Amino acid sequence: MPQRLSGSGNGSDGGSHVVANLEPDGTAVLHASEGNDTPRLSSHTGSSGSTSDDDYAVDPSNVVEGSRGGALTSEPSLRRTSIAEDPGHPEHVPTKRPNNLRRKSIPVKLETTKIKGRYLLRADDPAFQEVLQTVLRNEPGKGGRSRFSDLVFTRQFTAFDRLNPNSHGSPFHGFFTLFWLCIFFMLIKIAASNYKKTGSVFGTNELLTMMFSRHVFVMGLSDVVMMCATFFCLVLQKAIHARLLSWNRSGWIIQSVWQLFYIIGTIRWTVNREWPWQHTVFLTLHCIVMLMKQHSYTFYNGHLSEVLRRKAVLQEKLKDLELLDPPTARLQTPVAATAIASSYFDDDKAQHLKRRRRSLAHATDAKGQQDQNDMASVAKAISSGVPLDVDQLDAFERVLESEIGALDKELRGKCSETDNHYPRNLNIRNFIDYMPLPTIVYELEYPRQEHINWSYVAEKAAATFGVIGVMIVVSQAFIYPVVVTTVQMKEQNMPFIERLQAFPWILNDLLFPFLVEYLLAWYVIWECILNLLAELTRFADRGFYADWWNSVSWDQFARDWNVPVHNFLLRHVYHSSISSFRVSKSSATLITFFLSAVVHELVMWTIFKKLRGYLLCMQMLQLPLVMLSKTRLLRQRKVFGNIVFWIGIFTGPSLLCSLYLVI
């Protein structure tokens, strides 16, 4: 689609400015215009736009300095930002056109003319088209916003971790101690009741017997096979790097088909084995985690393979420009180009970016402005068929070098301690190192600790098995009898009306047990297991959750409750929907919520073997609640929002389970 590009030649004052129409074939037509209009870019490619960098702000108070790797800095103003926003490569030295080399044939559509020192640049070369479009749309050297420019990993601890200095200093730390004391006395009460009824503190213990039946060995073996199958992703990326496949053409299709086969095959295997629901849920959830890890690994590396391809093309074009016969005298450009402003957004975004960039050096702004002016001159010469002089060729070389530098920075990613940049990361060691990490978003380098604290490992391992034991006891004492009752109701062919009449009492019996199980399940996964994996792998970013218990809306809960999955959805669903399908932000949010709801409903199907859609509908109902919480009536009512949130947490799990059991 053509885009209208305008730039004022006199800053904020009125006067002439250049207007350019950039066509998809690379033709840029510039003409002078008079007026006081504010420079802006109007695009017809969609209404989505790019997400503001402020959407990824990190609270500096949660950042603990001192970790190594992951391109960390000691500045307190760390934020999630663009990968291509780092300084240029320190070893990069701009090259000059040699004076002793000549070349007669130029395969890049750059033709000599009868006048020495002037060259005619044909804009039908795809590489030059891409460079022209990139430079005229964005600031030179930055290459536009990357599709994977959303996350920065840093060293931090979870809220309830004893290593977190803010945890022991919290005025609410005593309530954390009280919670576990209540759990302890509840276990004492259950043990006494079991001993009174059955003569054993463990009671009948059907759940424990079910969990450790003969299916455990087969389930473990299946899990090993499922993890080994993930090496398909490494093989595919190796083939793409060797130019046997192209990621943009067939690579992403092959990967998508493999992911579909992977999850369908795993779930079909669990169904055919007729395992207990505990085994089925474990393998299904682990399959989903491995699936997300594979997706992040392949789509990020696939993107980098295209970046590397484009870098190689531009390097070849730059080499062709350097081999031109140099002129004996520098000629003046016949038509002077008017300066083009460096920001092409609407007024609000322009003012926002102006405030964000006040800390940048004036020299950087001046260089970007000069590159814009040079490229405007080149584009004007191309559109009018006027031969390029040596000054314009030098300008084009500088722009190519800047673009190559930006691509090189993206290939290096956040590597600061290692040389694990693309394609050196495509090896078995890096893949094996990535898979057990407590994150499902792939990066070339993560912040790591210096060593493993084995006493901390023993502490988290003991906590993991202890909390799982408590969950089994609570389920056996309060949930399992209710489930058995509902199963007997259906086996006895109880009429639907009678089951519906029993529904409120079943819901009442499950309210408190399910709330306890919900809190314990979250604690054992996000506080115990993920911290255990983080310590074993020396993974320093322990920000697995935020203070979700203070949530005042459901979108805040979705962000804070499960940060690893939120990061995955943010990068690979939300942003990918905007960049690939050109949808709006609201549509991308709807897609993200719907995909998450479908996955949750899939897990419920593996448990109950029923496709009812209760969880899917209730999760999608969060969207209107989110919009309601942002209205003027409720926006400032934080306490009320938190009350509504906790009512949903208190009633939601038990209500869903009752619906699946009774109806």
Side-chain angles (χ1 to χ4, degrees):
M1 292 291 180
Q3 294 193 346
R4 178 177 173 85
L5 180 65
S6 65
S8 173
N10 301 315
S12 60
D13 299 330
S16 63
H17 57 274
V18 173
V19 178
N21 288 323
L22 183 63
E23 302 293 339
D25 61 357
T27 302
V29 181
L30 282 77
H31 61 271
S33 178
E34 300 291 335
N36 299 321
D37 295 337
T38 303
R40 64 182 61 194
L41 171 66
S42 59
S43 173
H44 304 284
T45 57
S47 58
S48 61
S50 61
T51 304
S52 170
D53 289 340
D54 289 332
D55 294 341
Y56 317 113
V58 177
D59 186 359
S61 63
N62 294 331
V63 177
V64 181
E65 300 176 4
S67 184
R68 299 179 58 189
L72 292 177
T73 65
S74 59
E75 298 178 3
S77 59
L78 273 176
R79 60 181 175 86
R80 294 183 175 110
T81 184
S82 174
I83 295 174
E85 232 173 83
D86 295 334
H89 198 290
E91 299 179 358
H92 173 69
V93 179
T95 58
K96 300 293 185 181
R97 185 184 297 110
N99 293 328
N100 58 348
L101 295 176
R102 302 175 64 131
R103 182 165 182 161
K104 296 181 179 179
S105 61
I106 305 298
V108 293
K109 310 300 182 183
L110 188 66
E111 302 174 357
T112 59
T113 63
K114 295 180 180 180
I115 305 176
K116 188 173 184 179
R118 292 186 179 276
Y119 304 91
L120 189 61
L121 179 62
R122 297 293 185 187
D124 54 349
D125 186 276
F128 284 165
Q129 290 178 22
E130 194 171 4
V131 172
L132 283 172
Q133 292 173 353
T134 299
V135 175
L136 288 178
R137 289 174 183 169
N138 306 283
E139 293 185 19
K142 295 189 177 180
R145 183 184 179 90
S146 172
R147 293 177 57 189
F148 298 93
S149 58
D150 48 346
L151 299 176
V152 166
F153 289 88
T154 186
R155 178 184 173 90
Q156 55 183 323
F157 300 106
T158 52
F160 294 109
D161 194 352
R162 64 175 177 83
L163 299 180
N164 189 346
N166 296 328
S167 176
H168 293 282
S170 172
F172 299 100
H173 184 71
F175 284 100
F176 179 75
T177 305
L178 176 62
F179 173 81
W180 288 111
L181 279 176
C182 293
I183 294 295
F184 173 76
F185 286 115
M186 182 187 66
L187 293 178
I188 297 297
K189 178 181 181 301
I190 293 174
S193 178
N194 288 338
Y195 183 80
K196 180 179 179 180
K197 294 179 180 178
T198 63
S200 172
V201 294
F202 298 104
T204 54
N205 212 12
E206 292 91 348
L207 289 180
L208 199 60
T209 303
M210 189 185 306
M211 288 179 61
F212 292 96
S213 62
R214 59 183 178 86
H215 299 286
V216 174
F217 177 77
V218 179
M219 182 198 67
L221 185 61
S222 302
D223 193 51
V224 172
V225 173
M226 184 183 69
M227 289 188 291
C228 292
T230 60
F231 280 91
F232 173 85
C233 302
L234 178 60
V235 175
L236 177 62
Q237 290 304 313
K238 282 282 192 179
I240 291 172
H241 176 60
R243 300 296 186 220
L244 300 177
L245 296 170
S246 171
W247 173 255
N248 281 348
R249 295 179 181 177
S250 59
W252 71 273
I253 298 177
I254 295 174
Q255 177 62 30
S256 300
V257 172
W258 161 253
Q259 290 176 181
L260 188 63
F261 171 80
Y262 186 85
I263 189 170
I264 292 178
T266 301
I267 295 178
R268 182 66 182 270
W269 173 252
T270 62
V271 172
N272 291 341
R273 295 294 303 178
E274 297 183 352
W275 284 339
W277 69 268
Q278 300 97 325
H279 300 58
T280 301
V281 170
F282 169 78
L283 203 65
T284 301
L285 292 179
H286 199 192
C287 171
I288 294 173
V289 171
M290 291 293 105
L291 184 71
M292 290 188 288
K293 276 182 167 285
Q294 293 178 78
H295 183 93
S296 185
Y297 180 86
T298 53
F299 275 75
Y300 186 32
N301 281 300
H303 167 71
L304 292 181
S305 70
E306 294 299 316
V307 172
L308 182 63
R309 177 200 61 79
R310 183 168 183 249
K311 177 186 173 184
V313 171
L314 293 184
Q315 285 176 329
E316 184 64 26
K317 305 303 181 187
L318 182 61
K319 182 179 179 182
D320 290 332
L321 289 176
E322 293 170 354
L323 294 178
L324 287 173
D325 181 22
T328 57
R330 293 181 177 270
L331 302 180
Q332 298 297 323
T333 304
V335 181
T338 307
I340 294 183
S342 60
S343 181
Y344 309 116
F345 301 91
D346 54 62
D347 296 340
D348 294 337
K349 291 186 177 180
Q351 293 299 323
H352 171 71
L353 290 180
K354 184 177 180 181
R355 292 192 297 269
R356 290 285 303 275
R357 295 171 180 170
R358 282 176 179 171
S359 60
L360 295 178
H362 294 293
T364 303
D365 294 337
K367 182 180 182 301
Q369 183 72 25
Q370 182 62 38
D371 288 339
Q372 286 282 356
N373 298 344
D374 293 338
M375 285 311 298
S377 175
V378 173
K380 190 167 186 177
I382 293 172
S383 63
S384 60
V386 177
L388 302 181
D389 65 9
V390 67
D391 293 326
Q392 292 171 325
L393 288 177
D394 286 338
F396 202 78
E397 279 190 21
R398 289 197 304 271
V399 171
L400 285 179
E401 291 168 354
S402 179
E403 289 298 308
I404 292 172
L407 296 175
D408 183 65
K409 284 184 288 185
E410 188 161 4
L411 291 172
R412 288 186 289 111
K414 299 180 178 66
C415 292
S416 60
E417 295 290 329
T418 65
D419 60 349
N420 193 47
H421 53 78
Y422 186 89
R424 295 182 181 179
N425 65 311
L426 298 180
N427 55 71
I428 296 178
R429 179 179 179 180
N430 177 262
F431 188 80
I432 294 177
D433 178 72
Y434 162 66
M435 295 310 288
L437 290 178
T439 178
I440 49 181
V441 174
Y442 180 76
E443 285 290 350
L444 298 176
E445 184 179 279
Y446 301 94
R448 298 297 183 97
Q449 291 184 350
E450 297 293 337
H451 60 277
I452 299 176
N453 186 343
W454 291 105
S455 62
Y456 183 86
V457 171
E459 172 191 331
K460 289 302 179 181
T464 299
F465 289 107
V467 175
I468 291 176
V470 173
M471 294 176 64
I472 294 174
V473 171
V474 172
S475 297
Q476 179 68 51
F478 301 110
I479 298 178
Y480 183 75
V482 179
V483 174
V484 170
T485 300
T486 58
V487 171
Q488 292 175 350
M489 290 167 56
K490 291 187 176 182
E491 290 179 348
Q492 297 172 2
N493 295 324
M494 180 178 291
F496 175 76
I497 298 299
E498 296 183 13
R499 282 186 286 144
L500 199 60
Q501 292 174 348
F503 179 82
W505 306 107
I506 294 174
L507 176 62
N508 180 68
D509 291 338
L510 293 177
L511 278 175
F512 282 97
F514 258 97
L515 178 62
V516 173
E517 290 288 84
Y518 187 87
L519 296 176
L520 291 178
W522 169 82
Y523 185 84
V524 73
I525 295 175
W526 280 272
E527 178 61 36
C528 298
I529 295 178
L530 293 186
N531 271 317
L532 175 62
L533 289 174
E535 191 65 32
L536 289 173
T537 57
R538 300 187 296 110
F539 187 74
D541 192 338
R542 313 280 174 94
F544 305 128
Y545 59 87
D547 55 340
W548 58 267
W549 45 88
N550 294 325
S551 297
V552 297
S553 62
W554 289 106
D555 60 331
Q556 180 184 353
F557 171 71
R559 291 192 303 268
D560 296 345
W561 178 70
N562 187 349
V563 172
V565 171
H566 169 71
N567 289 340
F568 175 87
L569 294 175
L570 179 67
R571 169 186 278 191
H572 295 288
V573 180
Y574 180 81
H575 284 311
S576 293
S577 299
I578 293 176
S579 60
S580 299
F581 302 108
R582 307 297 180 186
V583 300
S584 63
K585 294 180 182 179
S586 57
S587 299
T589 301
L590 180 62
I591 293 172
T592 305
F593 263 84
F594 181 74
L595 179 62
S596 176
V598 168
V599 173
H600 282 80
E601 185 64 33
L602 176 64
V603 175
M604 300 303 291
W605 178 83
T606 60
I607 297 175
F608 297 101
K609 303 300 185 293
K610 297 178 182 178
L611 189 60
R612 294 290 188 266
Y614 301 137
L615 179 55
L616 187 147
C617 293
M618 293 185 68
Q619 191 163 344
M620 294 305 296
L621 284 175
Q622 293 179 6
L623 287 176
L625 292 177
V626 169
M627 292 186 289
L628 184 63
S629 66
K630 294 180 179 180
T631 59
R632 182 179 302 179
L633 179 64
L634 300 177
R635 187 167 24 194
Q636 301 300 328
R637 301 179 184 274
K638 304 295 184 182
V639 176
F640 179 76
N642 191 241
I643 291 174
V644 173
F645 160 74
W646 273 112
I647 290 176
I649 294 296
F650 184 62
T651 59
S654 55
L655 176 62
L656 283 171
C657 184
S658 301
L659 287 172
Y660 281 103
L661 287 173
V662 176
I663 301 178

